[in-house]
C-alpha cells in the first residue's frame, strides 16, 4: 500500500506518526502545515488526511479532533517510512558491560538483559529463557536437605543453572544421593534432559542400571520432575511500571494487568519464541496484529538469541505502548540479542 501513496501523503502520514510518538495526542491540519517542507494550505492537508483515513491508516478519536494513526498506519510507517537509528557508542558500551559481567551466570545475564531493556527503552523488558529440557547438561548434583527431601542442581552447557527440590522415596540416604549424581555424571553429561530420560528408561527396562534400586527411583523421580515442570521455559519481565505511567495512551489499567497475566501463563511463553523461529532478526508486532496485545494498545519488539550451534533458544525484547520510539528501540533490541548470542558461543 505504501507504493500507492504519493510523496505528500507519505510525508503527512510520517508527521502524524512522529507527532503521536512524541505526544500521544491527535494532530491537526494547522499543526501539520507548519511542519511540512512545502507550503500547503490547511484545507489541502485536511483532504489528504481524509484520504489516509479512508485507506484505514488514520482515524479521528472524536468529531473535530485531529488524526491519530491506526495499527495499520503504524505498520505501514514502520515497514516503509521509518528510518532506523543507530546506537551511540555509549549505548553499545553500556549493553556490553551489563551483559558481559565477569563471573555472572547465564541466568544473571538474562536478568540483567531484562533490566537493561526496561531501563534504556522506558518500556517493559521481556526475556524468555531457554527451555531446560532441550539444553545439554554440563553438571548434575543431588544435595540432601534432610529426611525425605533433596535439592537437584543442574548446570547446562549454556551456563544456565536450575535448582529444584525433590521429594525422595523412603530409605534414600546421602550416600545414595552421591551415587545417583555420579551415575548421571558418567552416563548423561552432554545430553539434554529429554535424551537423558530416554537413556535411563532404556537401562531400567533392560535391567542394566548400574545403581541401587533406590537410586534408580531417585533418578526417575528427578527426571520426571524436570520434564513435567520446565518444558515451557522461563519468562523474565522487568519494568512493568513503565507501562502504567501513561494510562491515557495505553487505555484501561485492567487491560495491562490482563496482558501480564496472559504473558505469564505457560501456554503463551513458547509462543513468543516461536514468533522468531522463521525470522533472521528483529520482529515487530503492533497492537491488534498479535492477540496478546489486541486490547491493550501495546506493541512488542523481539529478537532471538542463539546458542553455539546457532539454534534459537530464547527471545529478548520490549513491550511498550504502540507509540514507542521504534527507531531507537529496534536497534537496541537487535544489538542486545547479538551480545547475548556472542556470550553463548564463548561458553
Amino acid at each position: 500500500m505504501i507504493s500507492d501513496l504519493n510523496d505528500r501523503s507519505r510525508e503527512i502520514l510520517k508527521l502524524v506518526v512522529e507527532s503521536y510518538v512524541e505526544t500521544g495526542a491527535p494532530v491537526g491540519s494547522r499543526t501539520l502545515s507548519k511542519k511540512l517542507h512545502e507550503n500547503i494550505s490547511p484545507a489541502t492537508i485536511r483532504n489528504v488526511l481524509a484520504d489516509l483515513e479512508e485507506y484505514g491508516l488514520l482515524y479521528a478519536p472524536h468529531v473535530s479532533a485531529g488524526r491519530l494513526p491506526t495499527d495499520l498506519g503504524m505498520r505501514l510507517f514502520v515497514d516503509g517510512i521509518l528510518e532506523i537509528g543507530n546506537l551511540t557508542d555509549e549505548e553499545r558500551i553500556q549493553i556490553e558491560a551489563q551483559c558481559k559481567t565477569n563471573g555472572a551466570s547465564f541466568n544473571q545475564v538474562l536478568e540483567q538483559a531484562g533490566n537493561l531493556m526496561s531501563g534504556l527503552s522506558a518500556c517493559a523488558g521481556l526475556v524468555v529463557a531457554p527451555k531446560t529440557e532441550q539444553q545439554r547438561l554440563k553438571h548434575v548434583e543431588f544435595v540432601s536437605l534432610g529426611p525425605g527431601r533433596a535439592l537437584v542442581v543442574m548446570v547446562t552447557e549454556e551456563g544456565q543453572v536450575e535448582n529444584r527440590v525433590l521429594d525422595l522415596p523412603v530409605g534414600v540416604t546421602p550416600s545414595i544421593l552421591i551415587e545417583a549424581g555420579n551415575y548421571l555424571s558418567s552416563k548423561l553429561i552432554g545430553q539434554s534432559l529429554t535424551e537423558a530420560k530416554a537413556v535411563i528408561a532404556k537401562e531400567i527396562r533392560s535391567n542394566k542400571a548400574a545403581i541401587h534400586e533406590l537410586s534408580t527411583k531417585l533418578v526417575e523421580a528427578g527426571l520426571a520432575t524436570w520434564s513435567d515442570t520446565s518444558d515451557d521455559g522461563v519468562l523474565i519481565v522487568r519494568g512493568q511500571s513503565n507501562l502504567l505511567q501513561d494510562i491515557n495512551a495505553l487505555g484501561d489499567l485492567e487491560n495491562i494487568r490482563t496482558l501480564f497475566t496472559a504473558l505469564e501463563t505457560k501456554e503463551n511463553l513458547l509462543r513468543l519464541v516461536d514468533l522468531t523461529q522463521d525470522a533472521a532478526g528483529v520482529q515487530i508486532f503492533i497492537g491488534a496484529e498479535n492477540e496478546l496485545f489486541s486490547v491493550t494498545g501495546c506493541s512488542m519488539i523481539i529478537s532471538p538469541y542463539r546458542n553455539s550451534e546457532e539454534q534459537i533458544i530464547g527471545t529478548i525484547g520490549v513491550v511498550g505502548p504502540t507509540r514507542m520510539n521504534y527507531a531507537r528501540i529496534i536497534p537496541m533490541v537487535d544489538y542486545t540479542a547479538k551480545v547475548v548470542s556472542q556470550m553463548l558461543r564463548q561458553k
Side-chain angles (χ1 to χ4, degrees):
M1 181 182 291
I2 192 68
S3 61
D4 296 333
L5 301 181
N6 58 33
D7 291 342
R8 177 180 295 174
S9 296
R10 286 166 59 99
E11 184 178 5
I12 289 177
L13 175 62
K14 178 176 181 287
L15 290 174
V16 171
V17 172
E18 289 177 343
S19 176
Y20 171 61
V21 168
E22 182 180 355
T23 68
V27 59
S29 56
R30 291 191 179 276
T31 301
L32 290 171
S33 66
K34 298 175 183 178
K35 296 182 178 181
L36 284 167
H37 292 116
E38 56 180 319
N39 187 17
I40 305 175
S41 69
T44 300
I45 294 174
R46 283 194 292 271
N47 289 333
V48 175
L49 291 174
D51 290 339
L52 293 173
E53 187 171 359
E54 187 174 341
Y55 283 138
L57 303 177
L58 301 179
Y59 75 100
H62 52 81
V63 179
S64 301
R67 299 303 198 280
L68 291 173
T70 62
D71 288 346
L72 178 60
M74 290 298 299
R75 167 56 64 187
L76 197 65
F77 170 78
V78 169
D79 288 348
I81 300 176
L82 176 67
E83 297 178 2
I84 304 296
N86 293 316
L87 295 179
T88 65
D89 291 340
E90 291 77 11
E91 288 172 330
R92 290 175 183 270
I93 291 172
Q94 182 179 355
I95 291 172
E96 292 177 7
Q98 195 153 340
C99 290
K100 294 183 177 181
T101 305
N102 291 331
S105 68
F106 186 56
N107 284 26
Q108 291 172 324
V109 170
L110 294 182
E111 291 271 358
Q112 292 166 351
N115 288 329
L116 183 66
M117 289 292 90
S118 173
L120 290 178
S121 68
C123 297
L126 183 73
V127 177
V128 178
K131 297 184 295 179
T132 312
E133 279 289 312
Q134 303 304 322
Q135 296 185 76
R136 300 193 180 281
L137 297 171
K138 183 178 181 181
H139 177 75
V140 178
E141 182 178 355
F142 294 96
V143 180
S144 176
L145 298 178
R149 304 191 82 197
L151 177 71
V152 57
V153 181
M154 298 179 293
V155 183
T156 70
E157 290 183 347
E158 271 73 35
Q160 185 177 4
V161 180
E162 187 165 344
N163 302 319
R164 295 189 179 275
V165 176
L166 303 177
D167 293 323
L168 303 178
V170 177
V172 173
T173 64
S175 62
I176 292 177
L177 289 175
I178 295 174
E179 191 177 1
N182 290 338
Y183 171 77
L184 285 172
S185 296
S186 65
K187 296 282 187 178
L188 309 176
I189 300 306
Q191 301 186 68
S192 69
L193 292 176
T194 301
E195 294 168 339
K197 187 176 180 181
V199 169
I200 289 178
K202 182 177 180 180
E203 290 207 2
I204 292 174
R205 285 195 302 268
S206 61
N207 295 317
K208 293 181 179 179
I211 55 177
H212 189 274
E213 180 182 358
L214 287 175
S215 183
T216 303
K217 291 181 180 179
L218 172 65
V219 174
E220 284 187 283
L223 288 175
T225 298
W226 300 333
S227 178
D228 290 344
T229 59
S230 64
D231 60 349
D232 280 329
V234 178
L235 180 70
I236 302 170
V237 181
R238 292 290 181 269
Q240 294 99 313
S241 60
N242 290 334
L243 288 180
L244 306 179
Q245 293 177 0
D246 192 348
I247 300 301
N248 290 332
L250 295 179
D252 189 355
L253 175 62
E254 189 59 35
N255 286 336
I256 304 301
R257 291 175 176 155
T258 300
L259 167 64
F260 282 103
T261 298
L263 284 174
E264 290 166 359
T265 57
K266 279 192 171 185
E267 58 266 26
N268 286 322
L269 291 184
L270 286 183
R271 290 168 57 194
L272 295 179
V273 180
D274 291 340
L275 291 172
T276 68
Q277 289 295 325
D278 299 324
V282 176
Q283 293 289 287
I284 304 162
F285 299 90
I286 297 174
E289 292 178 348
N290 186 287
E291 61 182 298
L292 285 176
F293 309 110
S294 60
V295 297
T296 61
C298 288
S299 294
M300 177 175 67
I301 300 173
I302 56 176
S303 184
Y305 58 89
R306 304 169 184 268
N307 61 15
S308 57
E309 298 175 356
E310 292 300 316
Q311 298 170 324
I312 295 174
I313 60 173
T315 298
I316 289 175
V318 164
V319 176
T322 303
R323 65 183 189 89
M324 71 170 78
N325 189 338
Y326 295 89
R328 180 170 180 270
I329 294 176
I330 289 171
M332 182 191 310
V333 170
D334 183 47
Y335 191 70
T336 302
K338 289 177 179 177
V339 170
V340 172
S341 296
Q342 288 173 1
M343 292 190 60
L344 287 175
R345 295 189 188 102
Q346 297 169 1
K347 289 187 176 293

